[in-house]
Amino acid sequence: MKFLIAAMLSVTMVLMDYRDSSLSPIRTSLNIVLHPLQLAVDAPFQASREMREFFVNHATMKSENAKLQELVNIYAARDQKYHSIAQENIRFRKELNATQSVKERFMLAEILSVSRDPYRQTVRIDKGSKDGLYRGQVLLAGNSIYGQVFRVEPNSAVILQLTDTKHAIPVRNNRTGLGAIAVGSGRTNELEIKNVEANVDIRTGDTFFSSGLGQLFPADFPVAMVASVAYNPGDSFMRVKARTLVDFSKSREVILIWRSNHISVLRASDAEAEAAEKP
């Protein structure tokens, strides 16, 4: 009975509102009174929708940013290579122009950890033999040389930084063309330039690039800038310290290089090492 009365009352109110809108003030008042309640009921659902959209957008932006960062680093390395070719043409290095160009492939890797050994300058990256890495492979950070692969494991690899005392790289002075060897000092961001004779023109601020001698390191990539030059009368060589163009304390990503001739270069390097060990 109560249900029937309520139904009839509802129908009557609907008809009255439809015909002369006499209940419009009441409806408006109810909307004003009940609006906060509607907002309160809808708030959890609205918050849930906004949270889902936020995390979806954040994940998308993070993924896109990672892809863009990878492209920036790879293009920086390729740009340096093209710049090197232009420099070779300007210097009319006919003997290098006559040599068949070496094709290169790049891959971005993330640094997982840094060695705690105070006497070693090594890091571990998230790429390994499953990704095609090999011992002696060269790495870049931006457009500068970072180091080379020291030990390879299936899912990771240990990288020897330029600054490790066991690392050496042939370099040349970009201003004078002077050839030398840059050796790790064991200190962060610091190298020693060896084989610089006392009468050689070298100044603070000179930049050394990889020379490409030995074919292990690609030529014309930035390595270090001269920080100080010292000489004692009577010495045959000067003591030259240089600061790396890679900031090893801040680098979090590196670029691996595959060169088309790396197999032949590694074989030649191994043959030289075996010959040097023989009495």
Side-chain angles (χ1 to χ4, degrees):
M1 187 65 180
K2 292 180 179 181
F3 175 80
L4 181 60
I5 294 173
M8 293 177 63
L9 183 60
S10 298
V11 171
T12 302
M13 294 178 66
V14 169
L15 292 174
M16 291 175 61
D17 184 64
Y18 175 76
R19 295 187 61 179
D20 57 6
S21 300
S22 59
L23 298 179
S24 180
I26 298 176
R27 187 176 63 250
T28 302
S29 300
L30 288 174
N31 287 336
I32 295 175
V33 172
L34 296 177
H35 182 67
L37 181 60
Q38 292 176 342
L39 292 179
V41 172
D42 188 61
F45 301 97
Q46 181 66 24
S48 177
R49 287 193 295 270
E50 292 178 354
M51 289 290 289
R52 286 198 302 270
E53 292 177 0
F54 172 81
F55 285 111
V56 169
N57 293 336
H58 180 74
T60 302
M61 291 177 63
K62 186 176 180 180
S63 175
E64 291 177 352
N65 183 65
K67 292 178 181 179
L68 290 174
Q69 183 63 43
E70 180 176 358
L71 288 174
V72 167
N73 290 331
I74 290 176
Y75 288 151
R78 290 179 176 175
D79 179 72
Q80 181 60 39
K81 181 63 179 179
Y82 297 147
H83 175 73
S84 300
I85 294 174
Q87 291 297 315
E88 289 175 357
N89 291 335
I90 293 174
R91 293 192 300 268
F92 296 103
R93 296 171 64 179
K94 296 181 180 179
E95 65 277 15
L96 291 181
N97 291 338
T99 303
Q100 185 177 2
S101 61
V102 178
K103 295 182 179 180
E104 296 168 344
R105 180 168 64 89
F106 302 92
M107 177 186 290
L108 192 68
E110 183 179 352
I111 296 176
L112 297 177
S113 62
V114 179
S115 174
R116 296 182 179 181
D117 187 343
Y119 301 102
R120 301 307 305 270
Q121 305 288 317
T122 61
V123 298
R124 183 177 294 274
I125 62 173
D126 63 347
K127 297 293 187 293
S129 58
K130 290 183 177 179
D131 303 289
L133 272 66
Y134 56 90
R135 180 181 170 86
Q137 186 172 5
V138 178
L139 296 91
L140 305 176
N143 66 341
S144 302
I145 291 182
Y146 184 93
Q148 58 180 297
V149 176
F150 180 67
R151 186 171 67 250
V152 183
E153 298 171 2
N155 297 306
S156 64
V158 176
I159 308 304
L160 197 67
Q161 296 176 335
L162 288 178
T163 52
D164 191 276
T165 55
K166 294 182 179 292
H167 195 282
I169 175 174
V171 294
R172 62 168 180 80
N173 190 320
N174 193 51
R175 180 176 61 86
T176 65
L178 166 72
I181 300 294
V183 179
S185 66
R187 294 179 290 274
T188 303
N189 298 338
E190 186 176 307
L191 300 177
E192 296 178 359
I193 308 298
K194 300 293 187 179
N195 302 336
V196 180
E197 296 181 353
N199 60 348
V200 166
D201 177 17
I202 186 170
R203 307 171 188 170
T204 301
D206 282 354
T207 302
F208 278 85
F209 285 65
S210 54
S211 66
L213 294 178
Q215 301 183 43
L216 178 61
F217 292 93
D220 297 315
F221 279 82
V223 175
M225 180 179 293
V226 175
S228 65
V229 179
Y231 170 70
N232 291 328
D235 291 347
S236 300
F237 297 95
M238 290 186 283
R239 294 189 301 277
V240 181
K241 294 183 178 181
R243 188 167 186 83
T244 59
L245 297 179
V246 173
D247 189 346
F248 291 96
S249 64
K250 296 182 180 179
S251 298
R252 294 294 177 267
E253 294 175 328
V254 291
I255 300 173
L256 293 148
I257 304 177
W258 279 264
R259 310 184 75 200
S260 58
N261 66 339
H262 76 269
I263 295 178
S264 59
V265 171
L266 289 176
R267 288 175 178 172
S269 177
D270 293 340
E272 291 179 359
E274 292 177 0
E277 292 177 356
K278 292 181 179 179

